[in-house]
Amino acid sequence: DLKEARALQHVFFSERGAAKIPGLKAKPANIKKVALIGAGLMAGGIAMNFAERGMQVVMLDREQQFLDKGMAVIKANYDRSVKRGSKSQAKVDKALSMFSLTTSYEDLRDVDLVIEAVFEDMVLKKEIFQKLDAVCKPGCILATNTSFLSIDEMAEVTKRPEDVIGMHFFSPANVMPLLENVRGAKSSERTIATAMAVGSRIGKWPVLVGNCHGFVANRMMANYGVEARNMLIEGNWTFEQIDAVATKMGMPLGPFAMGDLTGLAIGVEARKRNGTFDPETVVQDWLVEQGRLGMKTNAGYYDYTKDRKRVPNKDVMARVEQTRKKLGVTPRDMTEQEVFERLFYPVFNEGFKILEGGFAV
């Protein structure tokens, strides 16, 4: 098909051209030692990328027990890789030797790049950036892995906003190739050049984007997930069937499988604080309340076997039916075309809005 061939060519050249920033001439900093703030799933996945490229990695968290738990997850990931044959034991041992753990910010004085990767709480992130500003050496890049919060608001609490940038990885961060580097209002060319160069160095597809709520990927995909969850209640479709429409379109995962992969608890703390967390009428909130957080707990919308194969769960669909009754919804017939349009048209439209706003090129 000629149209499909041209579309694939466009994607191919766009991916490779995205790392080229028009007019950017600054030389990137030489990054040898990296710090991660946090030892959770995202921080651990990000850290693996650097360790595997021979860079020293310091992981910092409030308590040693969090660090120990984080390292256990990293080691388990590597054990699976060795069993699958995708990595040798020697390569894994070398990567693990690059890690050091600490609970003290004083141990970050000599790092070249810091990536904050704690949960989405602006107050906490500001506190962290103030501490980093006080201890990190001049020229150290201060990055945040936030998925939607303002880079500028974090930069404002430092005396070096020119060194602050967003480096938004996607879960699981050791696997997913996309890296959104988010330009702040005062991010210097050196900072931008460094984030782009580092992204390429660790094997990611770095893309420079503007600072708006959700940046590009999450902003585009937000309504994709919302519409999927709405249709689950409104229509007589199961989450497996809705996922199948997305994969038929060419997506590697449907919205519910993707939610399980990235983690269903993302944003939960913020929703609890603003009073919108509602397990009684929101199926995803009920899943979180039940401890079904996605693939990391082997249970989310789907159940997961030891080798991470998805298995439908009857209790989840039973909960969907209960929720429909609580909301007074009688599920109606939906065509595959309607499911397709409601999933993807909002994505297309948001993409055009992002281009119009100058947040992507």
Side-chain angles (χ1 to χ4, degrees):
D1 185 277
L2 184 59
K3 288 184 178 180
E4 185 172 333
R6 286 176 176 170
L8 289 170
Q9 289 170 7
H10 174 77
V11 170
F12 178 86
F13 288 111
S14 295
E15 285 176 353
R16 280 143 190 83
K20 299 175 183 177
I21 311 302
L24 184 66
K25 298 178 181 178
K27 185 178 179 181
N30 185 18
I31 305 299
K32 296 180 179 178
K33 191 172 185 179
V34 180
L36 269 296
I37 309 300
L41 190 66
M42 278 301 300
I46 295 169
M48 290 169 71
N49 292 293
F50 291 97
E52 289 170 23
R53 268 70 179 186
M55 285 176 262
Q56 291 178 278
V57 177
V58 184
M59 290 185 69
L60 180 147
D61 212 318
R62 289 179 298 133
E63 298 179 25
Q64 186 64 41
Q65 62 174 324
F66 299 144
L67 292 165
D68 293 341
K69 182 178 179 181
M71 281 306 302
V73 172
I74 290 170
K75 289 176 180 177
N77 282 332
Y78 279 137
D79 286 344
R80 281 193 293 270
S81 296
V82 172
K83 288 178 182 177
R84 286 197 305 263
S86 59
K87 287 183 175 67
S88 67
Q89 187 62 54
K91 185 175 181 179
V92 166
D93 291 342
K94 185 176 180 181
L96 289 173
S97 73
M98 305 307 295
F99 283 89
S100 60
L101 310 177
T102 186
T103 57
S104 173
Y105 279 84
E106 293 296 321
D107 292 330
L108 308 185
R109 288 190 175 276
D110 63 341
V111 301
D112 306 304
L113 165 67
V114 182
I115 302 175
E116 167 275 309
V118 302
F119 58 86
E120 299 285 47
D121 183 312
M122 182 59 86
V123 174
L124 176 59
K125 289 180 185 287
K126 284 182 175 180
E127 290 175 0
I128 289 170
F129 270 81
Q130 287 175 323
K131 291 177 181 178
L132 295 174
D133 189 34
V135 302
C136 291
K137 66 185 181 182
C140 175
I141 306 298
L142 308 182
T144 172
N145 181 57
T146 183
S147 57
F148 63 88
L149 297 177
S150 172
I151 309 303
D152 294 332
E153 199 170 334
M154 291 176 230
E156 285 174 1
V157 302
T158 74
K159 297 181 180 68
R160 50 172 112 178
E162 69 279 2
D163 293 334
V164 177
I165 194 166
M167 292 184 70
H168 177 215
F169 293 78
F170 292 80
S171 184
N174 57 308
V175 175
M176 299 296 276
L178 180 61
L179 169 61
E180 283 184 322
N181 287 326
V182 189
R183 181 204 303 257
K186 296 182 179 179
S187 300
S188 71
E189 287 199 357
R190 173 183 177 271
T191 298
I192 293 168
T194 302
M196 297 300 290
V198 164
S200 295
R201 185 177 168 189
I202 61 175
K204 299 300 183 185
W205 293 339
V207 179
L208 185 65
V209 301
N211 182 29
C212 60
H213 186 82
F215 315 132
V216 171
N218 281 352
R219 178 174 163 180
M220 286 183 67
M221 299 307 291
N223 286 329
Y224 173 76
V226 169
E227 282 301 313
R229 293 188 291 273
N230 287 344
M231 286 189 286
L232 185 63
I233 299 299
E234 295 173 22
N236 56 4
W237 288 59
T238 67
F239 52 87
E240 303 157 74
Q241 292 170 325
I242 294 171
D243 274 354
V245 173
T247 54
K248 184 178 179 181
M249 165 68 178
M251 300 291 279
L253 294 172
F256 298 104
M258 185 173 72
D260 279 356
L261 178 65
T262 57
L264 300 180
I266 293 174
V268 162
E269 291 302 321
R271 294 206 306 280
K272 285 181 177 179
R273 285 195 300 274
N274 64 28
T276 58
F277 182 76
D278 185 9
E280 289 301 309
T281 60
V282 179
V283 173
Q284 185 161 316
D285 289 352
W286 174 80
L287 291 171
V288 171
E289 188 178 59
Q290 299 298 309
R292 299 179 65 91
L293 307 182
M295 193 177 285
K296 67 180 180 180
T297 59
N298 295 319
Y301 282 101
Y302 297 89
D303 289 335
Y304 292 86
T305 63
K306 288 184 179 180
D307 55 358
R308 297 194 168 187
K309 289 183 179 178
R310 289 190 296 276
V311 179
N313 182 287
K314 292 181 181 179
D315 291 340
V316 177
M317 271 312 299
R319 182 65 186 190
V320 170
E321 291 169 6
Q322 290 173 19
T323 302
R324 288 169 179 161
K325 290 177 181 177
K326 286 181 182 178
L327 295 171
V329 174
T330 300
R332 64 179 178 82
D333 290 338
M334 288 184 180
T335 64
E336 183 176 320
Q337 183 64 24
E338 179 183 349
V339 174
F340 166 79
E341 290 178 1
R342 288 183 63 176
L343 282 178
F344 290 104
Y345 282 11
V347 177
F348 305 155
N349 289 336
E350 201 63 37
F352 286 121
K353 290 178 183 178
I354 289 167
L355 289 172
E356 287 174 353
F359 298 109
V361 293

